Amino acid sequence: MTLNEFVAGVAEQFEDTDPAEIQPGTRYQELDEWSSLVAMTLVAFVKTEFNKSLSGKEIKDCNTIEELYNLISSK
């Protein structure tokens, strides 16, 4: 999965946020819609698409969507 495909997949996890607002450099935790529920959907998305586990701490430690992608890619 490329970075752009990952960004598009992450954008789908945000139901009320315009997908155009979601870019590799987006600080996803600063989006109005960010919540623990969205974090859980990200965990499920990563498990489904990458077959990799992602912890709440890892989500919190990443600032941007690209950082999250790089973390997952390195696992």
Side-chain angles (χ1 to χ4, degrees):
M1 178 177 287
T2 67
L3 174 58
N4 288 335
E5 291 170 333
F6 181 74
V7 170
V10 169
E12 291 176 5
Q13 310 314 306
F14 289 86
E15 294 179 5
D16 298 328
T17 303
D18 183 353
E21 290 184 44
I22 311 289
Q23 301 297 321
T26 299
R27 294 181 169 273
Y28 56 91
Q29 295 175 53
E30 295 177 5
L31 294 171
D32 290 341
E33 189 180 352
W34 180 253
S35 68
S36 58
L37 182 59
V38 174
M40 292 188 67
T41 64
L42 279 177
V43 168
F45 168 70
V46 169
K47 184 67 175 173
T48 301
E49 295 297 320
F50 291 89
N51 198 30
K52 296 181 181 179
S53 296
L54 189 61
S55 72
K57 182 179 180 344
E58 289 171 321
I59 290 174
K60 186 177 180 183
D61 289 347
C62 291
N63 294 310
T64 66
I65 293 172
E66 186 169 9
E67 287 178 19
L68 192 59
Y69 173 80
N70 290 337
L71 171 68
I72 294 162
S73 296
S74 71
K75 287 187 164 201

